[in-house]
Amino acid sequence: MLRTEERQRLARERREEREKQHAAKETQILEKERKAKLQYEKQLEERQRKLKEMKQKEEQRRAAVEEKRKQKIEEEKERYEAVLHRTLERSQRLETRQKRWSWGGSVTPDSEGKTASKRSPSTANLKQAEAAVSKGLSSSSAAQLNASDRARRSQLSPLDSGIISRLLAPTQASLARSKSAATLAD
């Protein structure tokens, strides 16, 4: 009987020991699961934080690119306006020069009639003096000059030949001098 009780006691102790071990294993497993869950949550939070930072950086980069694009468009607009302004200034200067070079402003069929009606009697006298001076030239020398002028002008651009012909034409002052000289000679 003593042996039977001893056996039962030993069996009970072994069972209790196994249960303790089993409970310890269960506790270890639960602790591991808890730690794993905490680590997973921590990683998830870290990943979300990084994603948020990446989104912010991407938004900042996009904003910077957009700002740069707007600035480039603005610079191109300013450059275009400056070029347009310079072109307008040049064309106005060219018009002013052409008006200065011609006798009565720009010579167009319409303006020819207007300037002719505005001319004073002295201008008409200058025209007569111009005719007298051109008659005074010998026909052969005038023909030679006209031929050489035409040959030179054919090699020039239309704008250049127009400028040269205006420069070669007698001015009102030179015609007036010729007229006064002719008047004094009479």
Side-chain angles (χ1 to χ4, degrees):
M1 193 151 154
L2 196 60
R3 281 190 170 181
T4 309
E5 284 177 16
E6 186 70 25
R7 282 184 199 158
Q8 286 175 354
R9 188 182 59 77
L10 286 172
R12 201 180 318 124
E13 285 177 2
R14 278 191 230 126
R15 216 178 313 127
E16 286 173 2
E17 188 65 32
R18 267 187 258 135
E19 285 175 5
K20 280 180 184 177
Q21 287 176 352
H22 187 65
K25 281 185 181 179
E26 227 17 76
T27 307
Q28 284 178 347
I29 290 172
L30 288 174
E31 186 63 26
K32 280 184 181 179
E33 284 178 359
R34 189 184 65 78
K35 283 182 179 178
K37 189 177 179 182
L38 283 174
Q39 191 174 1
Y40 175 75
E41 286 173 355
K42 195 175 181 180
Q43 286 175 347
L44 195 61
E45 285 175 9
E46 185 69 21
R47 203 173 294 146
Q48 286 175 347
R49 187 184 59 80
K50 284 183 179 178
L51 281 172
K52 192 175 181 181
E53 284 177 2
M54 284 173 59
K55 280 183 182 179
Q56 285 177 344
K57 284 181 183 177
E58 183 65 23
E59 285 174 10
Q60 288 173 349
R61 189 188 65 79
R62 280 186 188 153
V65 166
E66 183 65 22
E67 183 64 32
K68 204 171 188 180
R69 187 183 69 81
K70 284 180 183 177
Q71 190 176 10
K72 195 173 185 180
I73 288 172
E74 189 65 32
E75 286 172 0
E76 286 176 5
K77 185 180 175 185
E78 288 174 4
R79 200 175 306 127
Y80 172 76
E81 287 174 355
V83 167
L84 187 64
H85 183 69
R86 282 195 305 266
T87 305
L88 287 174
E89 282 181 351
R90 283 183 195 146
S91 65
Q92 287 173 350
R93 274 187 267 152
L94 185 62
E95 283 177 20
T96 307
R97 278 191 209 140
Q98 287 175 345
K99 285 179 183 175
R100 236 185 292 147
W101 289 337
S102 65
W103 288 351
S106 61
V107 181
T108 60
D110 293 340
S111 66
E112 187 68 31
K114 291 176 188 172
T115 54
S117 65
K118 290 180 185 175
R119 287 184 185 138
S120 63
S122 63
T123 312
N125 293 340
L126 288 175
K127 285 280 191 184
Q128 291 171 355
E130 180 184 5
V133 170
S134 64
K135 283 180 185 175
L137 289 173
S138 70
S139 61
S140 63
S141 65
Q144 285 176 341
L145 282 172
N146 287 338
S148 64
D149 275 354
R150 274 189 236 115
R152 269 189 243 118
R153 287 183 194 160
S154 66
Q155 295 170 352
L156 298 172
S157 72
L159 179 64
D160 290 341
S161 65
I163 292 170
I164 288 173
S165 66
R166 272 188 250 134
L167 289 173
L168 291 175
T171 63
Q172 289 179 352
S174 68
L175 289 175
R177 281 194 301 272
S178 300
K179 182 187 175 215
S180 64
T183 309
L184 288 174
D186 289 339

